[in-house]
Amino acid sequence: MKTVDVLIVGAGITGITAASILARKENKTVLIVEKRDHIGGNCYDSYNEDGILIHLYGPHIFHTQHKEVWEYLSQFTDWLAYVHHVKAFVDNKHITFPININTLEALFEKPFSKQSMREYLKNESIYIPEIKNAEDMVISRMGKPIYEKFFKNYTKKQWGLDARALAPEITARIPIRLDRNDRFFTDPYQGIPEKGYTALFNTMLNHENIQVITGKGYNDVKKTIQFDKMIYTGPVDEFFGYKYGYLPYRGINFYFKTYDQKKRLPVAVVNYPNDHAYTRATEFKHMTFQQHEKTCLCYEFPEDSENGKAEPVPSYPVLNDKSLKRYQLYLKETKNHKNIIFMGRLGKFEYLNMDMCVKKVLACFCTSS
Ligand code: UDP
């Protein structure tokens, strides 16, 4: 029997940040178990066979408005000053996304100003007294033509569900701008870890109090480890043996292709709402600034990941009335486990960005933040 102060299940950004804080700040001994054969969760990056740095689980751009989050991670890495830009491939054109003045000009092939964009939105948006779903969220802010060209089919492909069957917060993530600012994120802090996410995480885990075991899940180790506290970042429904039924997760199948050319896409990420089986394509060299004769693109094909299936790994909790109700049953159950903290996208069944994972860990273990 091995004894540690804290057992952490899952070596994603939540588990790794918790390990780093507990080991350094609280001087706790920590063991992280990770069922995949690598650390980093879905932020994991590595060099492909051609020596191009790729994100194995799709594009991860770090961005935050929270200074304490940025400062915490900045102890362990410098940052590449990458500013994220996205285009949507609509009407056979690469069009600025999220929607701004440039988007309307490209779409309607005529000039727009802030004033005329405001008028366009006023005319097209539909008043909905109570926003009940992801479709309402878009048409009440942007109107039907934009919804249909940019959101309707993308959302269907991404989630396998009609936008009307999804919670409003899913499309509320996408802003609308009455200017020509085409930064995808407006957060004051954004970038890519200078040597990549895996390198950043290895530095965070490099502490005498931290031990990491990969290739083993919680069920493989639970009989052999004694701990005072556990931080569980795996799927909450799995922890409870799916006793209230499966929570729906969406996973992504990633298809990577290396091209014999230096650059291929106009920006790092192109979304394909309508005429392609994949949702988006990412060209990593735009983000990593890597100099290389070839380039590698990643195409994303979403697929359901429920029922504890190994592939694709669960990435997105599918949020709607039914799944949130079911989650409440699990949440209630977690309260009976006083020495276990459930955290992260899967542990809390929450659509969390990377920075919010770090922020929640800081809030939990650093009383001053
Ligand atoms: N979305 C869309 N069209 C796009 C981009 C996003 O309809 O071109 C919708 C879609 O429902 C998606 C959500 O907005 O799931 C959030 O998009 P985001 O790019 O934030 O998703 P993530 O990067 O987390 O996959």
Side-chain angles (χ1 to χ4, degrees), residues 59 86-88 97 134 138 147 150-156 158-159 166 169-174 184-185 252 271-273 279-280 300 316 345 351 353:
V86 173
K87 300 275 182 200
F97 191 85
V138 180
Y147 172 72
F150 292 87
F151 288 88
K152 187 177 174 182
N153 297 327
Y154 187 102
T155 301
K156 186 101 215 250
Q158 172 70 14
W159 298 97
L166 290 161
E169 64 188 274
I170 286 169
T171 45
R173 292 165 58 86
I174 307 294
F184 194 78
F185 304 115
I252 311 281
N271 292 348
Y272 295 88
T279 48
R280 61 184 175 189
E300 298 181 34
Y316 296 88
R345 251 193 199 204
Y351 192 174
N353 285 341

Side-chain angles (χ1 to χ4, degrees), residues 11 27 86 121 125 129 131 141 208 226 259 307 332 362 368:
N27 200 26
V86 173
L121 293 173
S125 59
I131 308 291
R141 293 189 300 160
E208 59 192 5
Q226 241 174 357
Y259 295 90
N307 305 354
K332 210 166 149 208
L362 291 176
S368 57

Side-chain angles (χ1 to χ4, degrees), residues 27-209:
N27 200 26
K28 302 282 193 215
T29 55
V30 178
L31 171 66
I32 309 193
V33 292
E34 164 56 56
K35 74 175 163 198
R36 292 188 227 177
D37 62 1
H38 62 75
I39 62 154
N42 286 359
C43 308
Y44 176 66
D45 55 12
S46 73
Y47 288 88
N48 72 1
E49 62 279 9
D50 289 297
I52 302 170
L53 185 61
I54 58 173
H55 296 181
L56 275 286
Y57 302 90
H60 282 74
I61 298 95
F62 196 86
H63 59 100
T64 188
Q65 52 173 305
H66 304 292
K67 191 163 178 241
E68 74 276 17
V69 168
W70 184 255
E71 285 179 349
Y72 188 78
L73 295 180
S74 300
Q75 297 173 69
F76 305 101
T77 185
D78 288 328
W79 299 90
L80 299 173
Y82 170 68
V83 175
H84 192 39
H85 296 279
V86 173
K87 300 275 182 200
F89 194 67
V90 168
D91 292 350
N92 255 335
K93 292 178 272 199
H94 287 110
I95 301 185
T96 299
F97 191 85
I99 314 299
N100 69 7
I101 296 176
N102 295 334
T103 313
L104 294 192
E105 288 187 343
L107 204 55
F108 299 110
E109 296 179 343
K110 64 176 194 184
F112 273 84
S113 63
K114 192 174 188 159
Q115 184 54 26
S116 55
M117 179 167 184
R118 195 174 277 132
E119 276 160 28
Y120 171 84
L121 293 173
K122 199 170 149 216
N123 290 338
E124 293 295 343
S125 59
I126 294 169
Y127 173 68
I128 299 174
E130 196 195 342
I131 308 291
K132 290 210 187 83
N133 57 54
E135 178 180 300
D136 290 354
M137 182 53 80
V138 180
I139 61 176
S140 65
R141 293 189 300 160
M142 313 182 200
K144 276 217 162 137
I146 287 180
Y147 172 72
E148 268 157 23
K149 281 185 189 284
F150 292 87
F151 288 88
K152 187 177 174 182
N153 297 327
Y154 187 102
T155 301
K156 186 101 215 250
K157 273 193 283 184
Q158 172 70 14
W159 298 97
L161 289 171
D162 194 279
R164 279 187 297 256
L166 290 161
E169 64 188 274
I170 286 169
T171 45
R173 292 165 58 86
I174 307 294
I176 178 154
R177 306 216 180 96
L178 292 163
D179 56 22
R180 292 182 191 274
N181 174 10
D182 63 358
R183 286 174 158 225
F184 194 78
F185 304 115
T186 48
D187 291 332
Y189 307 102
Q190 67 175 294
I192 304 277
E194 190 189 23
K195 296 190 172 119
Y197 288 93
T198 306
L200 159 64
F201 295 145
N202 276 323
T203 309
M204 292 172 79
L205 293 172
N206 185 12
H207 190 280
E208 59 192 5
N209 288 353

